[in-house]
């Protein structure tokens, strides 16, 4: 199985001995040894994945990298976070997924108002199984634990990904003061309940909430 490690905080090194990984198209910055690169359609999920991703708008251009040696990946000097899965499912925006072990299954899932509030559409990408994945963030991300006793509220623009058995609720605090431009700028949040981890970046994308 390919071994993921960080080379600094903005470069991902993947050691391979004949293994393969799926990485964001064009994200290779260097490699040692022998590597092959092959673009995969539909996020690496074949024809069905290509159709599904086009229908859902959750498009993801990936390449398969296979070889012997070490391959280095990066994306516009973004911070990189490693996620190790043991049969769990990672929910992540396609634009935040840098690389994943080829043994992990990927797909799409409906997010409803949460995705819409982020400006990322109604669907998001899932990665499931046993192996490693690397996700990118704008700034160093924090990983916050959610337990049944400690639910978590997150700004939709700062959300990156989550794992575990979590339920999401979209909550709004729009009031008359918000409508007249006297709001706090925190009119929308995602509330996570259950047991799991949420990855949050220290930067907010433009969202519906941010524009209200």
């Amino acid at each position: 199985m390919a071994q993921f490690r960080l080379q600094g905080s903005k470069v991902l090194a993947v050691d391979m001995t004949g293994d393969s990984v799926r990485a964001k198209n064009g994200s290779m910055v260097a490699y040692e040894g022998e590597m092959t690169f092959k673009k995969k359609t539909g996020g690496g999920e074949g024809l069905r994945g290509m159709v599904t991703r086009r229908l859902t708008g959750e498009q993801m251009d990936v390449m398969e990298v296979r070889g012997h040696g070490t391959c280095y990946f990066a994306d516009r000097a973004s911070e990189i976070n490693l996620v190790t899965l043991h049969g769990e499912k990672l929910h992540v925006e396609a634009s935040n997924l840098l690389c994943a072990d080829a043994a992990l299954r990927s797909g799409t899932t409906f997010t409803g108002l949460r995705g819409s509030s982020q400006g990322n559409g109604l669907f998001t990408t899932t990665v499931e199984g046993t192996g490693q994945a690397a996700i990118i963030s704008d700034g160093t991300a924090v990983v916050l634990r959610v337990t049944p006793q400690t639910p978590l509220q997150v700004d939709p623009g700062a959300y990156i990904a989550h794992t575990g058995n979590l339920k999401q609720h979209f909550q709004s605090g729009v009031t008359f003061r918000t409508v007249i431009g006297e709001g706090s700028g925190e009119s929308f949040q995602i509330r996570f309940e259950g047991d799991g981890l949420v990855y949050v970046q220290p930067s907010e994308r433009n969202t519906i909430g941010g524009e209200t």
Side-chain angles (χ1 to χ4, degrees):
M1 183 174 290
Q3 297 298 312
F4 288 37
R5 56 187 169 87
L6 292 179
Q7 194 79 30
S9 62
K10 299 178 180 178
V11 175
L12 169 70
V14 181
D15 300 317
M16 289 182 275
T17 55
D19 317 289
S20 64
V21 297
R22 292 193 302 273
K24 181 177 284 193
N25 216 28
S27 60
M28 184 277 291
V29 293
Y31 70 88
E32 301 162 346
E34 298 292 330
M35 297 286 165
T36 60
F37 303 88
K38 181 179 181 182
K39 183 176 181 179
K40 305 292 285 185
T41 58
E45 300 151 24
L47 180 61
R48 182 176 180 180
M50 181 175 67
V51 173
T52 301
R53 288 188 176 276
R54 283 189 177 176
L55 289 175
T56 59
E58 187 69 4
Q59 304 238 31
M60 186 169 66
D61 292 327
V62 302
M63 59 181 175
E64 179 188 76
V65 184
R66 181 184 296 274
H68 293 263
T70 302
C71 195
Y72 301 88
F73 302 93
D75 185 26
R76 293 172 294 179
S78 299
E79 297 286 328
I80 300 173
N81 311 269
L82 296 184
V83 181
T84 300
L85 299 175
H86 300 284
E88 307 157 280
K89 183 182 289 186
L90 169 70
H91 296 74
V92 59
E93 297 303 333
S95 59
N96 289 102
L97 182 60
L98 176 64
C99 186
D101 192 294
L104 295 171
R105 301 181 301 278
S106 61
T108 55
T109 188
F110 181 69
T111 61
L113 285 175
R114 192 267 287 171
S116 180
S117 69
Q118 292 172 263
N120 289 323
L122 299 175
F123 292 82
T124 194
T125 291
T126 58
V127 179
E128 185 175 12
T130 298
Q132 289 181 290
I135 59 178
I136 56 176
S137 58
D138 186 4
T140 303
V142 294
V143 185
L144 302 175
R145 172 162 288 282
V146 179
T147 70
Q149 294 75 34
T150 55
L152 177 70
Q153 283 70 227
V154 177
D155 187 301
Y159 167 85
I160 305 171
H162 75 268
T163 61
N165 185 23
L166 294 177
K167 292 183 178 179
Q168 305 169 54
H169 305 283
F170 182 72
Q171 58 186 36
S172 168
V174 175
T175 64
F176 174 73
R177 294 183 62 84
T178 307
V179 174
I180 63 174
E182 295 296 324
S184 65
E186 305 294 352
S187 301
F188 298 93
Q189 298 96 36
I190 314 166
R191 179 181 175 89
F192 290 91
E193 298 175 344
D195 189 3
L197 300 174
V198 180
Y199 294 78
V200 180
Q201 67 181 10
S203 176
E204 298 179 22
R205 295 180 291 266
N206 288 331
T207 63
I208 292 175
E211 295 171 355
T212 300

